[in-house]
Amino acid sequence: QVQLVESGGGLVQAGGSLRLSCVASGRTFSSYSMGWFRQAPGKERETVAAINWSGAITYYADSVKGRFTISRDNAENTVYLQMNSLKLEDTAVYYCAARRSSYYRVLPSEYDYWGQGTQVTVSS
């Protein structure tokens, strides 16, 4: 069992930056691939970014490419999402999730453990 706790969300003006963190419990963090997802009111949960066990391979949704960066620190059991040039449409609850595999998948349904989410609100 893995427990995930996100932090770093908040209110930011358009064009600003936020850095989300997700800390995982347990001693096997490096064996999991990780993902960040978001869900806006009235919309389905969508994949934002994903990363393999080592951090060498990453995936980004087209809507965030060039603005967001996913990274991980296996020594700290933490995965990060650096979000720059934030837009109004980035407003959502952001979730991190872990997949019991070294290699990520894109679909949220492929992930086994989820955090409680952190709200990101971008204002004009």
Side-chain angles (χ1 to χ4, degrees), residues 7-122:
S7 62
L11 175 65
V12 63
Q13 285 192 322
S17 298
L18 282 175
R19 187 196 197 200
L20 305 183
S21 300
C22 173
V23 180
S25 64
R27 295 175 290 178
T28 58
F29 178 73
S30 61
S31 66
Y32 290 87
S33 56
M34 301 295 295
W36 283 100
F37 305 82
R38 66 187 182 187
Q39 189 166 17
K43 295 189 176 181
E44 292 188 355
R45 189 167 298 188
E46 63 172 344
T47 305
V48 175
I51 191 166
N52 77 327
W53 70 276
S54 68
I57 305 173
T58 57
Y59 163 86
Y60 296 96
D62 288 343
S63 58
V64 306
K65 276 181 184 176
R67 300 189 298 122
F68 290 12
T69 303
I70 187 172
S71 62
R72 65 189 295 163
D73 184 341
N74 288 341
E76 297 293 330
N77 281 17
T78 303
V79 62
Y80 302 98
L81 186 68
Q82 177 66 44
M83 305 187 294
N84 299 329
S85 302
L86 282 161
K87 304 177 180 180
L88 296 179
E89 53 264 41
D90 293 320
T91 295
V93 177
Y94 283 71
Y95 300 88
C96 74
R99 182 171 187 269
R100 287 193 302 259
S101 169
S102 298
Y103 298 95
Y104 68 79
R105 292 290 184 268
V106 175
L107 293 178
S109 59
E110 299 276 5
Y111 287 75
D112 302 294
Y113 305 105
W114 291 82
Q116 81 289 349
T118 186
Q119 176 70 47
V120 172
T121 303
V122 183

